[in-house]
Amino acid sequence: MLVFSQKLADYSLVKKTTKSWDYRVIQIVLEMLAHRTQPSCVSANILTVVEILFPKHKIIHELPSLRFVRAACTILLQVTKTLAAYQIGNATTFSQLFSDGTSRRQTSIQNVIIGILTDGGYKTVTLSTSILAENETSEYLVSSILTCFKESRQ
């Protein structure tokens, strides 16, 4: 039986205690974020699911805070970038590299996507969805893309 009755401290960027969330709670939060659940809805969804699965048990004493869930977004970003790099590193053939741009509130945003051939067929992997360039000329776009990937190596 899955029990969350342990009293846990609220997430803090500077750890003042040795207590932290159980790995299962972190996994649930990351799964919900990966499935596009809004960060403000994650705690309510966890509570709803637990109440449906265990209606006669009071096992939740504390839920993840919005601050913790937003920090988990950063963890999810790093995990997805790592998985993308792993897929590209294991690919034998790159078939396409393309970028797409959009503009939001007079800010140019570039997306970089690569197409790879795998044993299962053609697959697209998104390398980055938020590359910001000074303007939309090709020199600045290439420079911004290269800078983004140089920073990712570190």
Side-chain angles (χ1 to χ4, degrees), residues 123-143:
K123 189 173 200 173
T124 57
V125 179
T126 303
L127 298 178
S128 182
T129 59
S130 58
I131 298 174
L132 302 174
E134 284 184 41
N135 61 37
E136 295 185 27
T137 62
S138 60
E139 294 100 22
Y140 284 107
L141 292 177
V142 169
S143 174

Side-chain angles (χ1 to χ4, degrees), residues 34-107:
H35 290 285
R36 310 282 235 161
T37 302
Q38 294 292 324
S40 60
C41 299
V42 169
S43 292
N45 287 353
I46 291 172
L47 184 62
T48 302
V49 168
V50 170
E51 286 179 350
I52 289 170
L53 293 176
F54 305 104
K56 296 182 182 186
H57 302 282
K58 176 97 170 137
I59 60 173
I60 293 189
H61 297 271
E62 190 173 353
L63 290 166
S65 67
L66 183 58
R67 182 178 178 192
F68 174 82
V69 174
R70 287 188 177 149
C73 291
T74 305
I75 295 168
L76 182 62
L77 175 66
Q78 294 303 318
V79 168
T80 54
K81 280 188 174 186
T82 302
L83 290 174
Y86 178 78
Q87 287 181 336
I88 292 170
N90 284 339
T92 56
T93 306
F94 302 99
S95 62
Q96 291 180 342
L97 173 70
F98 48 98
S99 65
D100 179 34
T102 187
S103 182
R104 296 221 173 117
R105 297 185 182 129
Q106 292 80 35
T107 302

